[in-house]
Amino acid sequence: MNPENDFFIGWQNEMPFDFRKIIRYSTIIIFVLTLTAAAVLPYYHSRYDNGKFELNKITSLTGFLRVHPVPMLEYISGKDSAGFDVYQSVLLVSPGKFGADKILHEYSDLQSMDNKPIRIDGHLIYAHEHTVLEIKKIERVDSMSSVPSVVMPIIPIGKVQLKGEIADPKCLLGVMKPGEGKVHRDCAIRCLSGGITPVFHVQDGKGDHEYYLLVDKDFNPIQDQLIPYVADQVELCGTLSRWGSWYILSPDPGAIRRLNTYHLPDVTWCK
């Protein structure tokens, strides 16, 4: 048979040799490419960040609930070199794309729980020395007499001008990879719309990361004003404060500038 005239129909008893050869080689090549992709893609996926989400592990933390300006659990994580207690502040969120208020309201009035001892079981999410706890179960603690409740003061630092990205901390710190950038925009918008406190993620030239919780100048939620800028690289001006182990940034919504030169909004420049 002339190879140039080979023709095969599925109900024929025998496939022409040239057809069998092409299929054999194609199968081998596809198999090798599949194995290569299976080995290489996870490597590049792991390079997005070092964030962790302990989905299959429940952690129990006992500490003091802080309601304002954002829901936090403050607990003692250990001792420093001088033997003093080290307090760590863990940002609280609900399961799914919701802030902590959603699940906290199901247990009790929020204000009556403020600064009260509490035990929370949940899934830890963490990266770069910052931690989020996804709440699964809450229990009031009758007494923590051995641990004094020290109300965390909000310490003003001053005006700052920063460049970075507005994102939701739950996905950014480990639930999603990547949890930032335009591929994550729709998810981040839904998380912030559900009440999760937004963060401003800044990475300097050395590769160091910092996360700033975003609230307005009166330390109230500001999600609605920030949603149009989610997942864009932006420059903003604002007032910086320190609250426990987190920075709090109150940006001026009129002084947020996209760094994408093709889409610059009218802004008020930083003074």
Side-chain angles (χ1 to χ4, degrees):
M1 179 181 291
N2 187 348
E4 295 182 358
N5 297 324
D6 281 353
F7 185 75
F8 175 68
I9 300 175
W11 46 259
Q12 288 181 295
N13 292 328
E14 185 176 352
M15 181 184 294
F17 174 76
D18 287 342
F19 277 65
R20 295 198 305 271
K21 183 170 65 173
I22 291 173
I23 292 177
R24 183 184 302 113
Y25 290 155
S26 298
T27 302
I28 293 173
I29 292 172
I30 292 173
F31 180 73
V32 171
L33 290 176
T34 300
L35 290 179
T36 303
V40 172
L41 291 180
Y43 167 74
Y44 283 98
H45 185 266
S46 65
R47 294 174 61 192
Y48 281 120
D49 211 331
N50 68 345
K52 302 294 183 183
F53 177 34
E54 297 183 351
L55 177 61
N56 298 316
K57 178 182 177 182
I58 296 292
T59 297
S60 180
L61 296 178
T62 301
F64 294 93
L65 178 67
R66 313 301 187 192
V67 172
H68 188 77
V70 299
M72 286 273 192
L73 180 71
E74 186 185 17
Y75 75 100
I76 295 176
S77 60
K79 301 279 187 181
D80 63 16
S81 57
F84 293 102
D85 292 332
V86 175
Y87 286 83
Q88 183 172 351
S89 309
V90 176
L91 182 66
L92 301 176
V93 297
S94 296
K97 300 181 183 299
F98 298 99
D101 288 0
K102 180 178 184 295
I103 194 167
L104 290 175
H105 276 300
E106 297 175 1
Y107 285 84
S108 178
D109 176 67
L110 269 180
Q111 298 307 318
S112 70
M113 300 171 67
D114 194 17
N115 298 320
K116 298 296 192 298
I118 200 168
R119 180 182 295 108
I120 299 180
D121 295 340
H123 302 292
L124 289 176
I125 308 158
Y126 49 88
H128 306 122
E129 299 182 356
H130 287 78
T131 305
V132 174
L133 181 62
E134 182 186 77
I135 302 170
K136 300 299 290 184
K137 180 182 178 182
I138 298 175
E139 294 180 353
R140 283 184 176 273
V141 177
D142 293 335
S143 174
M144 287 182 62
S145 57
S146 61
V147 182
S149 175
V150 180
V151 177
M152 292 188 297
I154 298 176
I155 304 172
I157 296 177
K159 293 280 188 178
V160 294
Q161 181 176 344
L162 298 170
K163 296 179 181 179
E165 179 180 331
I166 298 171
D168 74 276
K170 184 175 182 179
C171 292
L172 182 62
L173 291 182
V175 171
M176 300 295 244
K177 291 188 179 183
E180 57 189 321
K182 289 179 172 52
V183 295
H184 192 68
R185 184 195 303 273
D186 290 345
C187 182
I189 288 174
R190 283 162 177 77
C191 286
L192 299 190
S193 298
I196 295 178
T197 302
V199 296
F200 194 59
H201 177 211
V202 175
Q203 184 174 3
D204 64 21
K206 298 178 181 179
D208 295 329
H209 298 257
E210 189 53 76
Y211 304 90
Y212 302 83
L213 298 173
L214 297 174
V215 295
D216 71 10
K217 61 183 180 63
D218 297 316
F219 301 106
N220 294 316
I222 196 175
Q223 281 92 325
D224 292 344
Q225 299 178 63
L226 298 180
I227 281 177
Y229 300 99
V230 168
D232 285 332
Q233 291 294 309
V234 299
E235 180 180 72
L236 55 75
C237 297
T239 303
L240 183 64
S241 304
R242 185 80 184 189
W243 188 49
S245 55
W246 290 79
Y247 284 111
I248 290 183
L249 181 60
S250 300
D252 176 3
I256 299 178
R257 180 174 71 94
R258 283 187 178 87
L259 299 180
N260 310 64
T261 56
Y262 60 85
H263 189 186
L264 293 177
D266 295 329
V267 298
T268 301
W269 290 94
C270 303
K271 300 293 186 182

